[in-house]
Amino acid sequence: MKRAFCVLVPLFQDTKFTVSTMAKLTDFKEWKFRSSPSYAELPIDENPQYNEPVAVKNAVFSKVPTEPLTGKLHLVCVSEEALSDILDLDPKVAETEEFVNFLAGKYLPEGGLTVSHRYGGYQFGFWADQLGDGRAHILGEYVNSKGECWQPQLKGSGETPYSRFGDGRAVLRSSVREMVASEACHHLGVPTTRAAGLVVSDDHKVWRDKTYSGMARQERAAIVMRVARAWYRLGSFEILLKRKEPQLAQTLADFIIKHHFPHIDMNDADKYVKWFSEVAHTNLDMVATWQGVGFTHGVLNTDNISVLGDTIDYGPYGFMDHYYEHYVPNSSDDMGRYAFNKQPEILVWNLGKFAEALDPILSEEDKAKIKAGIATLPEYVNNQVLKTYLAKLGLKEIQDGASSFIKDLLDMMQSTSADFTCTFRQLAELDVTKLSDTAALEAKWSLNKVCKAKGWLKWVHKYTDRLQKENVSEESRRQRMSKVNPLYVPRNWMLQEAIADADNNDFHKVRLLLKIFKEPYSVNKEAEMLGYSSQPPSWSYGLKLSCSS
Ligand code: AMP
Ligand code: MG
């Protein structure tokens, strides 16, 4: 048995250059949560009754036990990095019965306190009232060897006071999608909740109507263990506004600032203004990273937006194949409210609702400052997105005409159905002087589409000009670009294939995806053999997902 410890080895005199040599815990029975989680300071409904839908009052959490997954269990996959870097666990523990039981909600390590969080939300623009963790349990809090505090949470772990008419469960397909996307997003530089592991039962079945066609069928229940610094959402405050609980809103805001925004002075008269501004800007920085990797969340309701600026709740999301600005992966989003190109403005709309929810705890002066701050957000996010695209082209400066320069490229990609991910990647692979060379372009399947657009040569000319003005050498252009333009993203068709195998208890592909997305910028032989950076198969064209999960 080894105990986790941390040795800081100075490499140079400068103490900034240190490495952490860790021995990870190999015996999971030794692993414990901190003795009392910070959230125990907040009001918790200690004895909730939930035989029928209930409106929870005067509490931020409800104390609820998990309902373990029954039947024969399979460990589908784990994230080795989440286990070792976040939870200080040797990934070998994943093979132990205790660990699988931990994922299945059967075993709660010492210090655990299982709670479900109360929140509300605006769904598709309309107030949906109380939502809450209807199938999720936060298990406890773990302070790791780096001093970071993390909250493991099970999703699919049984009914809670927030289940409404749901069964508290999650199925394998949506759990695989959440597991792979959260880990991939982390490696793609997208701020996100993480996923540590996934377990499925052979025998525990639930009814789901996967396509909302009226044809429900039985599917196997699964549980994914997600990990985040905390799970508060914009909707955590909205429910307190609607239920007229301003005192609790203030308690929660002060708690979150104290624990998660410690650089904000609790005695600062502007603390709420500063906090709002930080919540807003981190969320807008996050959405700019989505635009950069072609990620469309699919369900940007205010209950799915974290106060900490992490991507949260992966459902019917999609990483775009061919570029289409109105891309909508969610089959229920008929109006395209959450289309790819709408995401930045939707985040701003959501933040407006967040400001409304804080209203009862703000002074008149705070309100005026926040109002003025909100007015600056559209321009801020547009700039962040613009900078993201410029970086994808190896550029840094926002020179005159930068927006239309980017728009011209995207328009050409759209009109030629060029692939979002591969166009940028292939621009990094080809020498800039070859961008007008037909033979060189033919060797790059996505560039070979976009170069057929009418304005291509003119655009290449402008691009070359901009590179020269910024004094970017060809070597540094390509170096910069290959660090921000991935070769691989978790496209829905890859996930569908991995899920089909997982349905037959063959988990190789799910595990392979996790391995590939650890290094999405590097060529991977297996990924190449499977065509993961090639033109997507025709059967995947127009693939959409429902919210059924
Ligand atoms: P989502 O679309 O996954 O963000 O979920 C929206 C709301 O529905 C949240 O309050 C979830 O907890 C709840 N929910 C979704 N599926 C279930 C389920 N099977 N059982 C109980 N609650 C659910
Ligand atoms: Mg949600």
Side-chain angles (χ1 to χ4, degrees):
M1 178 231 15
K2 288 184 210 148
R3 191 70 205 129
F5 62 95
C6 181
V7 186
L8 291 174
V9 185
L11 291 180
F12 304 99
Q13 290 302 7
D14 185 341
T15 47
K16 270 190 286 181
F17 293 97
T18 55
V19 291
S20 150
T21 314
M22 286 295 311
K24 304 292 173 184
L25 199 67
T26 51
D27 184 351
F28 188 62
K29 283 185 260 125
E30 297 278 315
W31 192 89
K32 293 174 192 160
F33 288 109
R34 82 193 302 180
S35 54
S36 177
S38 63
Y39 56 79
E41 287 172 33
L42 289 165
I44 300 181
D45 183 0
E46 291 282 339
N47 192 18
Q49 302 298 313
Y50 49 101
N51 307 324
E52 55 188 45
V54 282
V56 176
K57 291 198 186 88
N58 302 315
V60 176
F61 295 102
S62 299
K63 186 174 171 188
V64 230
T66 54
E67 291 175 348
L69 212 53
T70 57
K72 182 170 163 39
L73 301 176
H74 298 274
L75 181 72
V76 177
C77 58
V78 292
S79 160
E80 294 189 354
E81 306 77 67
L83 291 187
S84 87
D85 300 349
I86 297 177
L87 300 178
D88 296 330
L89 289 169
D90 185 318
K92 283 202 193 83
V93 301
E95 291 152 25
T96 63
E97 199 180 335
E98 285 82 20
F99 184 75
V100 174
N101 285 341
F102 178 46
L103 295 188
K106 283 187 195 182
Y107 168 67
L108 186 66
E110 202 179 308
L113 173 64
T114 54
V115 294
S116 295
H117 179 39
R118 173 190 179 208
Y119 55 83
Y122 282 86
Q123 298 188 319
F124 291 90
F126 297 97
W127 175 242
D129 213 69
Q130 177 179 295
L131 298 163
D133 290 333
R135 51 174 170 171
H137 296 77
I138 297 168
L139 300 179
E141 213 162 50
Y142 179 70
V143 181
N144 70 16
S145 53
K146 293 175 249 178
E148 302 160 345
C149 189
W150 291 88
Q151 296 178 359
Q153 182 196 65
L154 297 183
K155 181 168 174 182
S157 38
E159 283 183 41
T160 78
Y162 310 99
S163 298
R164 296 174 292 155
F165 300 102
D167 56 11
R169 297 292 168 194
V171 293
L172 181 59
R173 57 187 159 77
S174 60
S175 308
V176 166
R177 287 173 53 79
E178 172 128 29
M179 176 87 209
V180 173
S182 30
E183 287 305 280
C185 276
H186 169 69
H187 294 291
L188 288 165
V190 173
T192 179
T193 61
R194 303 288 300 274
L198 167 55
V199 68
V200 68
S201 164
D202 272 345
D203 314 294
H204 198 141
K205 303 267 174 70
V206 291
W207 288 94
R208 288 291 183 276
D209 182 356
K210 187 171 151 186
T211 54
Y212 294 146
S213 60
M215 301 279 282
R217 67 177 185 97
Q218 282 199 317
E219 293 187 52
R220 291 191 293 162
I223 296 182
V224 60
M225 178 177 285
R226 315 195 285 185
V227 193
R229 293 167 294 159
W231 297 94
Y232 307 105
R233 297 136 192 269
L234 305 187
S236 308
F237 288 86
E238 288 164 349
I239 191 73
L240 302 178
L241 172 81
K242 302 285 178 179
R243 294 283 192 271
K244 300 196 170 36
E245 295 175 34
Q247 198 51 55
L248 188 47
Q250 183 161 8
T251 303
L252 182 59
D254 287 347
F255 174 90
I256 293 176
I257 295 170
K258 180 175 142 205
H259 288 273
H260 301 287
F261 298 78
H263 46 282
I264 298 179
D265 181 356
M266 295 305 288
N267 297 316
D268 187 334
D270 270 345
K271 68 177 171 182
Y272 296 132
V273 176
K274 288 185 177 161
W275 178 53
F276 175 83
S277 172
E278 200 165 329
V279 172
H281 289 96
T282 49
N283 268 297
L284 297 179
D285 292 346
M286 170 196 75
V287 78
T289 67
W290 295 356
Q291 304 309 106
V293 293
F295 174 80
T296 308
H297 182 283
V299 202
L300 284 182
N301 298 332
T302 55
D303 51 301
N304 288 339
I305 306 296
S306 162
V307 167
L308 302 185
D310 285 333
T311 309
I312 190 171
D313 284 8
Y314 292 83
Y317 64 84
F319 282 82
M320 267 192 294
D321 292 324
H322 61 278
Y323 178 72
Y324 179 48
E325 60 181 339
H326 304 294
Y327 173 62
V328 179
N330 178 357
S331 62
S332 309
D333 185 5
D334 301 326
M335 307 295 284
R337 179 180 171 86
Y338 299 142
F340 175 73
N341 64 339
K342 294 263 198 71
Q343 298 189 114
E345 66 186 89
I346 284 294
L347 258 288
V348 173
W349 189 90
N350 286 345
L351 290 162
K353 288 289 166 203
F354 181 50
E356 252 175 59
L358 296 183
D359 224 52
I361 66 168
L362 301 176
S363 67
E364 289 310 312
E365 210 178 311
D366 287 344
K367 286 180 202 169
K369 286 182 182 166
I370 287 181
K371 194 172 166 205
I374 288 179
T376 66
L377 297 181
E379 191 185 335
Y380 176 81
V381 72
N382 287 343
N383 258 323
Q384 292 305 91
V385 173
L386 185 58
K387 279 194 217 157
T388 304
Y389 281 120
L390 289 172
K392 283 175 81 64
L393 292 169
L395 296 164
K396 279 188 182 155
E397 292 165 20
I398 305 188
Q399 296 175 8
D400 273 358
S403 281
S404 58
F405 167 68
I406 297 298
K407 187 173 181 308
D408 288 348
L409 174 63
L410 295 175
D411 284 349
M412 289 190 292
M413 286 163 63
Q414 180 156 293
S415 66
T416 55
S417 296
D419 190 82
F420 180 80
T421 304
C422 291
T423 299
F424 283 103
R425 180 68 190 200
Q426 291 171 5
L427 277 170
E429 288 168 355
L430 214 56
D431 195 282
V432 78
T433 57
K434 296 276 192 288
L435 294 179
S436 44
D437 173 339
T438 317
L441 288 163
E442 262 171 18
K444 302 287 177 191
W445 67 270
S446 191
L447 277 187
N448 194 35
K449 291 185 180 195
V450 69
C451 74
K452 303 283 184 333
K454 213 168 125 221
W456 175 250
L457 288 178
K458 199 167 148 201
W459 185 85
V460 170
H461 187 73
K462 281 189 192 162
Y463 183 30
T464 315
D465 215 40
R466 274 175 190 269
L467 289 164
Q468 271 166 8
K469 273 196 191 137
E470 278 196 34
N471 224 352
V472 186
S473 71
E474 182 56 11
E475 196 191 343
S476 73
R477 180 189 80 94
R478 289 173 63 176
Q479 235 174 35
R480 283 181 196 174
M481 286 177 72
S482 43
K483 282 188 196 142
V484 294
N485 292 302
L487 257 170
Y488 313 112
V489 291
R491 300 170 188 253
N492 279 335
W493 70 270
M494 299 175 188
L495 292 159
Q496 294 291 90
E497 286 188 350
I499 290 164
D501 288 353
D503 273 336
N504 295 317
N505 284 340
D506 173 357
F507 307 124
H508 284 98
K509 240 181 204 160
V510 176
R511 293 174 188 179
L512 175 64
L513 286 179
L514 284 170
K515 192 172 125 198
I516 291 167
F517 294 125
K518 262 191 230 178
E519 292 181 58
Y521 304 99
S522 311
V523 178
N524 177 300
K525 270 194 194 146
E526 284 170 288
E528 290 306 306
M529 297 220 318
L530 290 162
Y532 288 175
S533 69
S534 309
Q535 174 135 345
S538 52
W539 64 261
S540 71
Y541 188 85
L543 202 62
K544 286 200 182 203
L545 280 297
S546 79
C547 287
S548 154
S549 58

